Amino acid sequence: MHLSIVVPCFNEEHGLQRLRDALVEALSGHVRDYEVILVDDGSTDRTLSEARRLSEHDPRFRYVSLSRNFGKEPAMLCGLRHACGNRVALLDADLQHPPRLLPRMLVLLDTGYDQVVARRSRSGERAWRTAASRAYYRLASRWLDVRLQDGAGDYRVLSRRAVDALLSLPEHHRFSKGLFAWIGFDTGWVTYRNVPRETGESRWRLSDLVDHGIDGLTAFNDKPLRPAIYLGLLVAGLGGLLAALADGEKRWAALLLGLGGVHLLVLGVLGEYVGRGYAESRRRPHYLVKETGPVPDPLPGEHRVCTAGLVS
């Protein structure tokens, strides 16, 4: 199969038909042989019913429904494991990842790249979010062992070699932006303007974005542990200096305040890494599959690595 398209879905009942129409229009005349894998990540609306309907009317569309909401990272992993194509595209269901870019990305992939990434501009984005994102990527460039590109998200096309490399990585806490960078291989870029959602509203709250950012900073290195040591020494030194300059009860108050802040900071950093180690040691599956749509019979000589297990 020439192309598999993996689409994580959560409460996208009103957008799947638009997505289907946009994909068919974009690929018509460019890609003859393709499949679309809709991964229903425990939606609470009629997303699964819509996925079933699309699968019945168009055999190129199939679906995998997870037993509950596991999050976008497990949903993407599930889709990659079920993808049968020699090339695999990842994109969102809300059409913020324009399907019209896929032909350009596939042409670029065939020139020798293993990844082609669609990098969006930040035009039309809220000012606070743009500033926070740029600050985060500057911080990530200093701390991470891999290089993250500002504006590069999950929208990309991968060769089978790159997909197999991603699937070989065993960690439970998956930060895909970092994993895409970690596997390396030659990468091409396509730039596009920021596109508003066609339906609904973003389900990423500020707290979700902060958690996702922390995941990225702690997933690939132990560098946050070193600044905690330096900060501990600094605050302890300042506390000692204040204690020497103050007198009486103020001296002890300054000393205790400084030491208390250091303890909380260091414990928080250590707790983050201990928690990650505990999660990895449990070896729980990334997701559970409740239902899958029809998997087409392979063509003679076709490369198929897709799976359909209930636990993965």
Side-chain angles (χ1 to χ4, degrees), residues 167-218:
L167 295 180
S168 71
L169 303 178
E171 56 255 52
H172 181 81
H173 277 284
R174 301 182 72 85
F175 180 67
S176 288
K177 289 184 179 67
L179 295 179
F180 290 137
W182 188 89
I183 63 172
F185 299 120
D186 294 332
T187 301
W189 302 89
V190 172
T191 303
Y192 69 99
R193 292 178 62 86
N194 190 39
V195 178
R197 287 178 61 96
E198 287 283 335
T199 59
E201 58 184 21
S202 175
R203 297 173 187 86
W204 284 87
R205 299 169 298 180
L206 178 59
S207 59
D208 296 327
L209 294 172
V210 172
D211 289 343
H212 192 62
I214 293 174
D215 284 342
L217 292 177
T218 57

Side-chain angles (χ1 to χ4, degrees), residues 38 65 86-87 101-102 113-114 117 124 169 178 183 216 219 297 312:
L38 305 172
S65 180
N86 295 317
R87 299 161 182 81
L101 296 179
L102 284 173
Y113 293 107
D114 283 284
V117 185
L169 303 178
I183 63 172
D297 296 330
S312 293

Side-chain angles (χ1 to χ4, degrees), residues 118-135:
R119 180 168 53 192
R120 67 182 176 88
S121 69
R122 297 197 175 276
S123 60
E125 193 175 64
R126 294 180 179 177
W128 69 265
R129 188 162 179 171
T130 299
S133 296
R134 288 175 176 169

Side-chain angles (χ1 to χ4, degrees), residues 255-290:
L255 184 60
L256 290 175
L257 181 62
L259 291 178
V262 171
H263 289 162
L264 288 175
L265 176 64
V266 174
L267 286 175
V269 174
L270 289 176
E272 183 70 24
Y273 282 95
V274 171
R276 289 180 176 277
Y278 175 58
E280 297 291 341
S281 68
R282 288 180 302 191
R283 308 302 299 171
R284 288 181 182 171
H286 295 87
Y287 55 84
L288 300 176
V289 174
K290 178 177 65 176

